[in-house]
Amino acid sequence: MQMIEITMWVIGFSIVIIPVMLPLSLTLLTWLTPQSVIDQYVRPPHFSEFESAAYRYFPSSWIRTLLFSLAISIPIFRRVRGFGDMHKQVPLWFNVASRLFVYVVLGYLFSVCIAIGILAAIAKLGLH
């Protein structure tokens, strides 16, 4: 019973903190994205002409930042967009910031979603 109560407190806290933490950290990372990285990668063949124009301006720039962060942190995303060795070509501080965003913020969000799913399954099956 204690574990379920702790999980419920974490989920309750997450419902309050995630809507603040996710947009705030994504906005900060978007503002800190080096212009040289944007100029190098936000163009064909990595993005279509439409995407290249759209991802330069807020709020769609969040998508660009999310794609860059995922590409830096997870190799399969580099292959999907054809970024090559992007993680080696961006500044070290941006590399670290992107990895922190993906592993901490998105990892936390993913963990909370899994916990909610498990609790919903427990409640549905009546296992308490």
Side-chain angles (χ1 to χ4, degrees), residues 69-91:
S69 297
L70 289 170
I72 288 170
S73 305
I74 304 169
I76 192 156
F77 287 100
R78 283 192 293 271
R79 283 180 286 217
V80 168
R81 282 286 180 168
F83 287 138
D85 288 338
M86 178 186 197
H87 63 293
K88 295 178 183 175
Q89 297 171 359
V90 298

Side-chain angles (χ1 to χ4, degrees), residues 14-123:
S14 298
I15 290 171
V16 173
I17 197 72
I18 285 175
V20 173
M21 185 173 58
L22 186 62
L24 183 65
S25 60
L26 194 54
T27 301
L28 182 63
L29 195 57
T30 298
W31 286 341
L32 294 175
T33 303
Q35 189 64 40
S36 61
V37 173
I38 295 170
D39 292 340
Q40 183 176 359
Y41 291 105
V42 183
R43 60 184 174 82
H46 309 295
F47 294 98
S48 70
E49 289 294 332
F50 173 76
E51 290 172 324
S52 297
Y55 291 165
R56 290 191 179 270
Y57 304 103
F58 184 80
S60 59
S61 58
W62 280 358
I63 298 169
R64 176 201 68 214
T65 304
L66 186 60
L67 289 171
F68 283 173
S69 297
L70 289 170
I72 288 170
S73 305
I74 304 169
I76 192 156
F77 287 100
R78 283 192 293 271
R79 283 180 286 217
V80 168
R81 282 286 180 168
F83 287 138
D85 288 338
M86 178 186 197
H87 63 293
K88 295 178 183 175
Q89 297 171 359
V90 298
L92 179 62
W93 65 267
F94 186 68
N95 198 329
V96 170
S98 295
R99 289 174 190 266
L100 281 173
F101 172 72
V102 169
Y103 297 142
V104 175
V105 176
L106 297 182
Y108 182 73
L109 179 65
F110 182 73
S111 299
V112 168
C113 290
I114 294 295
I116 290 171
I118 291 170
L119 286 176
I122 289 171

